[in-house]
Amino acid sequence: MDAQPAPPLPAAFYDRPVTEVARALIGCSVSHGETAGVIVETEAYHQSEAACHAYVGVTRRTATLFGPPGVAYVYRSYGIHAMLNAVCEPEGVGAAVLIRALQPLAGLGLMRARRGPLADRQLCSGPGKLTISLGIGLDLNQSSLVDGPVQMHAPSASWREPAVDVDRRIGITKAAELPWRFVARNSAWLSRPVARA
DNA sequence: GTATGGATCTTCT
DNA sequence: GAAGATCCATACA
């Protein structure tokens, strides 16, 4: 709690292969207003595979994915849930990292006010949950992760670089076999345990 | 504790 | 008109 926030990750951080960024984001933190959490679970999406929205090409919906790196891509899924992604790779390439789960770090009271009287581990253990807890809505689509309302920060000094497990992605039907899900090993805050050790 | 089905809206064909 | 990267409540063992 006393941890002074490090400077936000620069746009260059996201200007790399999306799988590298997805792995590097494990242990980083996301903040929005009073609320913040440590990223413990991510998935990579790239225009070269069918599960990615950008697979179909540039549309009005996916334009953000093809934009410059270091920008938030927020969209609605199943008509109900907002999903937070970080756009990666150079402008013109459709790729993003989906933030699937957080370890709550700050503003837990505000999270409960938004979500209800839930246990800590239920506040951000899912892509649709964490956006509600952090108050992230569709209006934040295309906002900068470097100097916008939602920011991502490098791991605090006390965070030991965790072992990262790789797994298949969740909840998709196409290209489901790609090992593009990255999680912090032995974390208790995941949306779902790793399939195989 | 595990399993199944419903809710709800934006975007694209 | 249909599909989609989900979450929650309810039913049953």
Side-chain angles (χ1 to χ4, degrees):
Chain A
M1 304 301 218
D2 54 336
Q4 196 56 17
L9 293 168
F13 177 88
Y14 306 94
D15 190 359
R16 332 177 96 222
V18 64
T19 51
E20 273 189 29
V21 179
R23 188 188 57 185
L25 278 176
I26 300 295
C28 295
S29 61
V30 180
S31 66
H32 181 226
E34 307 275 319
T35 56
V38 177
I39 299 171
V40 295
E41 183 174 348
T42 64
E43 287 180 2
Y45 287 88
H46 190 273
Q47 64 182 89
S48 63
E49 41 90 16
C52 183
H53 290 168
Y55 180 70
V56 297
V58 183
T59 66
R60 189 160 139 210
R61 182 194 201 185
T62 62
T64 307
L65 285 169
F66 290 88
V71 170
Y73 170 50
V74 183
Y75 72 97
R76 188 169 297 285
S77 176
Y78 290 83
I80 313 176
H81 305 289
M83 303 284 178
L84 173 63
N85 300 250
V87 176
C88 296
E89 308 215 8
E91 186 166 3
V93 178
V97 175
L98 169 67
I99 310 301
R100 283 193 54 86
L102 301 176
Q103 176 178 341
L105 193 63
L108 273 70
L110 184 53
M111 292 182 187
R112 283 203 186 78
R114 289 168 173 152
R115 304 253 318 115
L118 300 173
D120 287 2
R121 66 170 297 175
Q122 295 194 16
L123 288 174
C124 299
S125 59
K129 301 179 188 177
L130 67 92
T131 52
I132 300 175
S133 291
L134 295 191
I136 295 172
L138 296 182
D139 53 321
L140 290 173
N141 189 29
Q142 286 190 313
S143 71
S144 171
L145 295 173
V146 180
D147 57 11
V150 177
Q151 297 188 353
M152 296 194 179
H153 304 271
S156 66
S158 60
W159 175 272
R160 244 180 301 176
E161 197 169 311
V164 175
D165 281 326
V166 181
D167 195 11
R168 300 184 325 136
R169 293 177 293 181
I170 294 176
I172 58 177
T173 57
K174 298 170 182 173
E177 296 191 1
L178 287 175
W180 281 12
R181 177 187 179 218
F182 300 88
V183 307
R185 179 168 296 173
N186 296 331
S187 173
W189 306 95
L190 305 181
S191 66
R192 203 193 151 93
V194 176
R196 293 174 299 189

